[in-house]
Amino acid sequence: VLPNGLGPATVFDARACARGRGVGEEGAGAFVRSEAVPAMPERDEDIAFSPVVHLSRWIERGMLSSERLTRIYLDRLRRFGDRLACVITLTEDLALAQAREADAEIRAGRYRGALHGIPYGAKDLFDTRGIRTTWGAMPYRDRVAEDDAFVVRRLREAGAVLVAKTTLGALAYGDIWFGGRTRNPWNLEQGSSGSSAGSASGTAAGLFGFSLGTETLGSIVSPCMRCGTTGLRPTFGRVARTGAMALCWSLDKIGPICRCVEDCVLVLDAIRGADAGDPSSVDMPLGFDAGADVRSMRVGYVADWFERATGVDRAALEAMRGLGVEMVDLDLDVSPPGALMTILSVESASAFEELTLTDRDDDLVWQEPQAWPNSFRQAWFVPGIEFVQAERLRRRICEEMGQVFEGVDAIIGPSYAGGMLLITNNTGHPCVTLRAGFLEEDRPHGVTIWGRLFDEGRLARLGMALEAALGVWERRPRAYLAEGTGD
């Protein structure tokens, strides 16, 4: 049996497929984060919901210890984690040990950077040595890895504190896992969406400072839309996936889920890089300046998308106009992308061939027609020629999107408009999904900005400017706080 992490000999390179077009040119610039240090709140709840940009400065300046912050999050995880069904494993002993180590290093003058001492949650498809990594699926619920995933190692090197392994829809699809369904903190009657279900739910509920998710086709974007969090899906290959469960070797991407846009780029800076265990990964510089002006940017949009969108989407477009950027009305003439779904179907079925052949797919909790067991079986009937033709179509669409991004720095749109979710997951383009407003009193709604390949720094700066103009990211969900248990 071939191991899950062993990918095909063919390796997808987004830059090559785009013929070098529409690749960011400012990646080699300096990395400059925000300098502001606001007053630290007195209440634990207010500290818990603070963004990493604030938490990190308080820790750096000795105003807050990592151990205190870790205990705040551990308490909240014990109180609310089960209600949201967003945690598979609480790593309390490890977290406290890492927090004490971070405090000792900072006191000794060995400050590692923005994530030093910050507690985080990791989607439970990232290997953690000696701690089970279940992939959210019953057949693997007792699986324990021998080594840490690349991103877990990178975060340990950055001084971050692992407090929880978060839920995911089994084998990275949806929000149903072997322990139930992960809940949306804004509405406990609703699932959190997936597959980065627990990462988005827990971040929205203030259970850790930030979290890691993955995306193959919407697994960062979708739960961020549902839970009102902010997600950054990096360029394909930006972050090595060694030690992460493989669903689709040419599509999977690892990215942060946070409370605000700058938090996302701080996390991305810590986890980016290549590793020998992932042939698709590349070392590319990441330039970012939190104070840079966005008015020189050209931002594309498709007018028809917004005519059929919500009022929140249209308000976000107007807010973007108000930033002083040059708006470009695009005629997004891209080949119909529907056949690209063949790639996801075939690769995922190949990754979990053993489950199908041994009938262990019967152990998965979700067994509806659209669930993995049936999808995997159907993929066995896809002709090889059809798969190759889908890959050829993918190259054409990569070239077409490369031409689009020659004329603009970014594109804004409703998150699911125009097939962009399918298109850009296949072309490898990065995106940031951020809360833009509320459709109802407690129903958050986001928009997405797509950027050039390996241009996440500029994409994040544009997202920060829009986030500030909209002014809605700090609002907290209260649905998960049952009577008598609130802070």
Side-chain angles (χ1 to χ4, degrees):
V1 176
L2 299 176
N4 173 267
L6 181 65
T10 53
V11 174
F12 178 69
D13 186 333
R15 298 165 299 173
C17 287
R19 296 183 183 269
R21 291 170 163 163
V23 180
E25 299 175 353
E26 297 184 357
F31 194 97
V32 182
R33 60 185 177 120
S34 296
E35 291 290 340
V37 185
M40 193 177 79
E42 295 182 1
R43 299 173 68 240
D44 285 354
E45 181 187 358
D46 296 330
I47 294 173
F49 277 98
S50 296
V52 172
V53 289
H54 297 165
L55 295 172
S56 63
R57 293 300 187 188
W58 297 333
I59 288 176
E60 179 186 13
R61 302 195 176 194
M63 302 162 65
L64 176 66
S65 71
S66 176
E67 183 172 356
R68 180 188 172 192
L69 182 59
T70 299
R71 289 188 181 278
I72 288 173
Y73 284 131
L74 287 171
D75 177 64
R76 294 181 64 80
L77 282 160
R78 284 189 292 266
R79 294 167 62 196
F80 306 123
D82 288 346
R83 193 172 312 159
L84 295 172
C86 67
V87 174
I88 293 180
T89 303
L90 192 65
T91 57
E92 181 170 0
D93 292 342
L94 174 65
L96 289 172
Q98 290 182 336
R100 290 167 184 148
E101 181 181 3
D103 287 334
E105 288 182 340
I106 293 168
R107 284 194 300 269
R110 298 193 297 273
Y111 182 63
R112 300 192 187 195
L115 302 187
H116 203 171
I118 305 294
Y120 75 99
K123 186 175 181 177
D124 199 36
L125 55 62
F126 299 113
D127 284 350
T128 43
R129 183 166 55 89
I131 300 170
R132 64 177 182 155
T133 301
T134 71
W135 301 350
M138 185 68 76
Y140 305 101
R141 65 177 302 170
D142 297 318
R143 179 183 174 276
V144 178
E146 296 180 358
D147 296 301
D148 287 329
F150 172 82
V151 289
V152 174
R153 295 199 308 269
R154 291 300 300 264
L155 288 174
R156 185 176 65 245
E157 293 163 2
V161 174
L162 177 63
V163 292
K165 302 293 294 294
T166 61
T167 58
L168 66 153
L171 308 182
Y173 184 10
D175 52 25
I176 298 174
W177 56 291
F178 63 80
R181 166 169 259 152
T182 302
R183 300 295 168 180
N184 174 12
W186 297 90
N187 177 4
L188 293 179
E189 300 302 313
Q190 184 180 57
S192 67
S193 188
S195 67
S196 303
S199 292
S201 176
T203 300
L207 306 191
F208 23 75
F210 67 92
S211 59
L212 291 182
T214 62
E215 173 152 324
T216 306
L217 184 65
S219 288
I220 290 175
V221 172
S222 183
C224 284
M225 289 289 290
R226 180 70 59 83
C227 297
T229 47
T230 302
L232 175 58
R233 186 191 75 208
T235 305
F236 179 84
R238 166 72 86 175
V239 181
R241 302 163 300 175
T242 310
M245 186 205 84
L247 180 64
C248 297
W249 298 281
S250 75
L251 286 165
D252 298 342
K253 295 159 284 285
I254 298 171
I257 295 177
C258 302
R259 280 186 272 281
C260 68
V261 175
E262 186 174 355
D263 284 7
C264 286
V265 76
L266 294 179
V267 177
L268 178 60
D269 189 44
I271 64 174
R272 66 186 174 90
D275 183 77
D278 179 3
S280 298
S281 61
V282 294
D283 274 317
M284 291 286 284
L286 176 64
F288 170 72
D289 185 347
D293 198 335
V294 301
R295 286 177 291 183
S296 63
M297 294 189 193
R298 289 169 53 87
V299 179
Y301 70 101
V302 177
D304 184 58
W305 292 351
F306 289 92
E307 290 174 4
R308 295 177 289 176
T310 71
V312 172
D313 293 302
R314 290 191 290 273
L317 179 64
E318 291 308 306
M320 181 67 80
R321 292 185 194 278
L323 299 179
V325 300
E326 181 182 352
M327 300 296 293
V328 181
D329 190 351
L330 297 174
D331 179 14
L332 200 65
D333 187 18
V334 178
S335 300
L340 296 177
M341 285 298 298
T342 302
I343 299 170
L344 190 156
S345 297
V346 172
E347 285 198 32
S348 61
S350 176
F352 292 100
E353 174 192 39
E354 182 187 10
L355 277 186
T356 303
L357 294 180
T358 61
D359 292 329
R360 293 173 68 208
D361 55 357
D362 291 340
D363 294 335
L364 295 175
V365 173
W366 191 27
Q367 292 286 334
E368 295 182 21
Q370 70 271 30
W372 279 142
N374 293 306
S375 297
F376 292 161
R377 294 167 194 151
Q378 290 168 3
W380 281 74
F381 297 95
V382 175
I385 291 175
E386 187 174 326
F387 178 76
V388 173
Q389 296 298 72
E391 287 284 9
R392 296 175 70 196
L393 173 64
R394 184 180 190 179
R395 178 174 291 276
R396 171 184 284 179
I397 292 176
C398 284
E399 294 175 357
E400 292 168 346
M401 288 300 293
Q403 292 175 334
V404 171
F405 275 104
E406 282 186 318
V408 294
D409 299 298
I411 299 171
I412 184 174
S415 296
Y416 306 119
M420 285 289 279
L421 189 68
L422 178 60
I423 289 168
T424 57
N425 266 294
N426 276 272
T427 61
H429 284 87
C431 73
V432 61
T433 298
L434 65 150
R435 188 191 304 175
F438 293 83
L439 298 179
E440 299 164 5
E441 177 62 22
D442 282 322
R443 187 182 166 195
H445 185 75
V447 295
T448 294
I449 309 171
W450 297 271
R452 292 180 172 183
L453 298 172
F454 295 101
D455 202 22
E456 292 92 341
R458 184 156 42 177
L459 173 65
R461 183 66 196 101
L462 183 62
M464 287 173 61
L466 180 61
E467 179 182 75
L470 294 170
V472 295
W473 72 268
E474 292 182 282
R475 185 171 163 187
R476 307 172 191 172
R478 306 298 295 184
Y480 66 99
L481 293 174
E483 185 177 354
T485 64
D487 292 61

